[in-house]
Amino acid sequence: RTNQQKLVHINSSLIYDNDVAVAVQGIVRDVTIQNKYKKSIEAERLKYSNIIANMNLGLIEISKEGEVLMMNQSFSDISGYNEAELLGTVARDIFAVNDAGAELIDEEKRKRVEGESNSYELEVKTKTGEHRHWLVSGAPNYNLEGEQVGSIAVTLDITDLKNLQNQKEKLLSKLEKSNDELQEYAHIVSHDLKSPLRSINALVSWLKEDNQGKLDEVSLQNIAHIETTLEKMEQLITDVLNYSSVGAQVSALADVNTHNLVSDLCKILYVPEHIEIKIVNQLPVIKGDKTKLQQLFQNLISNAVKFIDKEKGLIEIKVLELSTHFEFSVKDNGMGIEKQFHDKIFKIFHALNKSKESTGIGLSIVKKIVDLHEGEVWLESEPKVGTTFYFTLKK
């Protein structure tokens, strides 16, 4: 009536009268929808068969007894075996590298029988005898009646990733050893260098005492230069030791109230009367190493004090909350820094001021501590106006 084509199934039979066929009777059944479902199911089966055959992950089906029932092409590629070589064989006997590997496969097979799914790493041997590392994700396999008939495993070759991980662990171990050796070397050198410096300083003092009233002005100036050089050398040795110590021993991170920490620092640091330190807003509590954070703020505040050249100095400390970090700033109205030096001052020994108090290590220590707390440090400055140091610390 609607001119639609139908697919029907006819079951017919003849009707006989005195052994003569006189009529036909039949049952006509519309199988159009059933046929569409059948074609749809067949198309889906073909589609997923192609996906399984060509996906980059190896797929293998195993019976409850551990025999290989089915595998895709990717599994053949990573194992080296073709389907004919593996079907009907016991997987553990083919792939286990040693007894431990065989026991792991047996244990995982037991878990599948109990209905458990999970992932695990397995060292295997391929057809060529090469040892590889696989990440295996296994799950129970059920028939149409819901009975557990075995398991299905998806495998991914992670050998290259495993090798990179092993190389990383070796490099980290080597780096840790080198850091320990550097720390020990720095302590030894510090001790060995400071001893002769103290001896020279003592000799110079004795020389002044023994010749009191006998030395002319030029000689006294030369002796003063020697004393200044000795002081700077000792300070340099101390700073190098401090720099090498940053990061060598990181204490367990704990809650640090940076507002209290900075307030306490302002009370104990030497700050000339003409300089005011102002904490603009409430500084936060963060997770960090308290000793190193104290060293960080102390270096920045002391640096600001050192380079203020105005009759009335001002240092402002404040914080801005970001999504994952806090952004701190230490602003001064000092002499400022030329643009060309902005990238250099965080490098060790790059001191802009050549006084005996400045060794060019303080800001290098600042950067190292900020790095340890997964942050960044930078500055904005205008000569004769002032400088602002910014740094972020992870929440």
Side-chain angles (χ1 to χ4, degrees), residues 26-45:
I27 300 173
V28 179
R29 185 160 55 92
D30 188 340
V31 293
T32 305
I33 296 178
Q34 181 180 346
N35 186 66
K36 287 182 178 179
Y37 279 134
K38 184 178 180 181
K39 287 184 177 180
S40 178
I41 291 172
E42 181 64 23
E44 290 295 312
R45 187 193 68 77

Side-chain angles (χ1 to χ4, degrees), residues 124-306:
V124 300
K125 58 183 178 183
T126 63
K127 183 180 178 179
T128 60
E130 182 184 9
H131 287 202
R132 307 288 292 180
H133 291 275
W134 290 355
L135 177 64
V136 183
S137 295
N141 189 24
Y142 300 92
N143 61 17
L144 293 176
E145 286 73 36
E147 299 171 337
Q148 211 269 352
V149 294
S151 61
I152 293 178
V154 176
T155 59
L156 174 66
D157 192 314
I158 59 170
T159 307
D160 293 340
L161 183 63
K162 197 78 175 176
N163 290 338
L164 286 174
Q165 182 180 348
N166 291 336
Q167 290 177 22
K168 177 183 175 183
E169 290 174 356
K170 289 179 181 178
L171 286 172
L172 288 175
S173 177
K174 187 176 180 180
L175 179 61
E176 184 178 0
K177 183 179 179 182
S178 297
N179 283 339
D180 290 341
E181 291 175 351
L182 176 62
Q183 177 72 3
E184 184 178 359
Y185 176 75
H187 279 282
I188 292 172
V189 170
S190 172
H191 179 270
D192 289 350
L193 287 177
K194 282 189 175 183
S195 293
L197 285 179
R198 294 190 181 108
S199 298
I200 295 171
N201 193 48
L203 289 171
V204 170
S205 297
W206 296 341
L207 184 64
K208 284 172 63 179
E209 291 177 5
D210 292 344
N211 294 275
Q212 192 171 10
K214 300 179 183 178
L215 299 173
D216 59 20
E217 190 66 28
V218 174
S219 298
L220 290 173
Q221 287 180 357
N222 288 335
I223 290 175
H225 286 316
I226 293 174
E227 291 174 331
T228 300
T229 303
L230 290 173
E231 287 179 28
K232 185 169 184 177
M233 187 63 184
E234 185 168 1
Q235 184 61 49
L236 179 61
I237 294 169
T238 300
D239 287 348
V240 168
L241 181 60
N242 289 336
Y243 181 80
S244 67
S245 299
V246 175
Q249 293 181 343
V250 180
S251 304
L253 299 184
D255 288 337
V256 179
N257 188 319
T258 58
H259 194 91
N260 292 344
L261 184 147
V262 173
S263 297
D264 291 342
L265 270 176
C266 293
K267 296 174 184 175
I268 62 175
L269 289 175
Y270 169 71
V271 180
E273 293 183 359
H274 72 285
I275 296 177
E276 177 189 1
I277 300 178
K278 183 179 179 182
I279 302 176
V280 177
N281 55 357
Q282 183 69 31
L283 304 184
V285 175
I286 66 169
K287 287 283 186 183
D289 184 322
K290 184 176 181 180
T291 301
K292 288 182 170 54
L293 289 176
Q294 181 173 326
Q295 193 174 9
L296 165 64
F297 281 101
Q298 180 176 334
N299 280 0
L300 287 175
I301 295 171
S302 298
N303 189 75
V305 169
K306 189 187 307 179

Side-chain angles (χ1 to χ4, degrees), residues 50-63:
N50 288 333
I51 292 173
I52 290 171
N54 297 293
M55 68 182 185
N56 292 327
L57 297 173
L59 181 70
I60 183 171
E61 182 179 341
I62 300 173
S63 70

Side-chain angles (χ1 to χ4, degrees), residues 345-361:
I345 60 173
F346 293 110
K347 295 179 181 179
I348 193 167
F349 300 131
H350 278 271
L352 303 184
N353 186 305
K354 301 302 181 181
S355 67
K356 68 179 182 181
E357 295 88 1
S358 181
T359 59
I361 297 180

